Amino acid sequence: MTPQKTAKLSVAGNDYDLPVMSPTAGPDVIDISKLYGQADVFTFDPGFTSTAACESSITFIDGDKGELLHRGYPIDQLAAKSHYLEVCYLLLYGELPTAAQLEDFTSRVTNHTMLHEQMLNFYRGFRRDAHPMAIVCGVVGAMSAFYHDSTDIHDPWQREVASIRMIAKLPTITANAYKYSIGQPFVYPDNNLDYASNFLRMCFAVPAEEYVVDPILARAMDRIFMLHADHEQNASTSTVRLAGSSGANPFACIAAGVACLWGPAHGGANEAALNMLREIGSVDRIPEYIAKAKDKADPFRLMGFGHRVYKNFDPRAKVMKESADEVLGLLGVENNPTLQVAKELEKIALEDEYFVSKKLYPNVDFYSGIILDAIGFPTSMFTPIFALSRTVGWIAQWKEMIEDEKQKIGRPRQLYTGAGFRDYADVENR
């Protein structure tokens, strides 16, 4: 990108002209890549909240407007007219596929869903009470030990094969982690089913009886996958890029993303929202907790409301609400106190002036947690499902980085506040 403007920075009486780059959308970016060499200073930005660490054409978020675009397409349009594998193609290749391209892509993914049989033995090395996220992280990292023919990051074909394999096998890996944690036998994938239906079957079918996936549940699952597919340069995506900048193989990079997503500040939001609903317990206790949420002196916070990025309504939440209503309409909430609390709390939050004025709307984590709980997933599976959904975004971002000629190994700087130079000789006679 050729800079069109400059910004002037004064340091110790010296002025420096810094290139300013204008993106397709979003704020201008000041290029400080040569600042250290010119002025012998670093910039300080904990959390990189004001720093563009890369150039990307995949996903754009406008938090003030409540927009999420994948390759320019609004997420609500994609959710209404598309499905997960079509969005995967869009993220990976930059354009929506033709019918022939989508058929080919779907076929390639479908025919790579099975795991190397020896990998199933790997699961048995974990304790039965191991968190499914620990299992997913370990198995994804171990893929490089089984698929040697797709670890050369400099070979475009091997990058492509690795990408397809991970998108195809993550549902199987994740479902197996769930089955192992509850002591049930693994269920092999069925290539006659669509992506979401296949995942639900691998999670909930048992050899003793037939399992038929309800299309409403499959559609809700597909939307959860789609709405979590990519979210710009967040913590886990940046982790994947940073790991990839060292030349690590793709399976190791995605495993690094899985590990980062496991953090409760990142991937555990929907689990936290559901735990909050369970803490409230019953509809009659909602006013008590609403009062606690409004009290600044009270440490209680409503989880699943508002969003760090979106200062307006989360564009994914509207779509997820539709699916939540469909799922709850199918399964009912009469015998589920948690879901009864969720419905009433949602109604209050959308009408209460306190929440409306502060734009504390229910977000995608609130609705996805409700859906996953209603379908039958324990909260321990929420983050693994998030990781499965986000894998395509990580891969697209990783591929973009590898193919970027300006890419360098990541090397963040620091503001050192430790001791200055000390001579060991001064303490030899202590």
Side-chain angles (χ1 to χ4, degrees), residues 120-187:
L120 301 182
N121 297 325
F122 191 67
Y123 284 86
R124 297 182 176 93
F126 292 95
R127 286 171 52 116
R128 283 287 179 183
D129 59 356
H131 195 290
M133 198 64 171
I135 300 175
V136 171
C137 188
V139 175
V140 172
M143 288 179 73
S144 58
F146 290 88
Y147 302 105
H148 304 139
D149 59 346
S150 54
T151 57
D152 183 355
I153 65 171
H154 302 294
D155 183 338
W157 175 246
Q158 291 199 31
R159 294 200 300 267
E160 177 71 10
V161 171
S163 301
I164 296 297
R165 277 178 170 159
M166 283 189 280
I167 293 169
K169 297 181 191 303
L170 253 295
T172 311
I173 289 172
T174 305
N176 284 357
Y178 173 58
K179 284 297 196 183
Y180 185 77
S181 70
I182 61 175
Q184 290 187 1
F186 299 138
V187 175

Side-chain angles (χ1 to χ4, degrees), residues 329-370:
L330 173 70
L331 302 178
V333 299
E334 294 80 9
N335 299 317
N336 191 322
T338 301
L339 298 181
Q340 290 173 358
V341 170
K343 293 294 290 182
E344 183 62 23
L345 189 58
E346 175 202 29
K347 179 176 180 291
I348 292 173
L350 291 174
E351 297 175 352
D352 190 290
E353 177 59 27
Y354 175 84
F355 294 99
V356 173
S357 64
K358 292 182 176 294
K359 298 182 178 179
L360 294 176
Y361 303 111
N363 60 32
V364 69
D365 301 308
F366 178 81
Y367 291 116
S368 62
I370 292 173

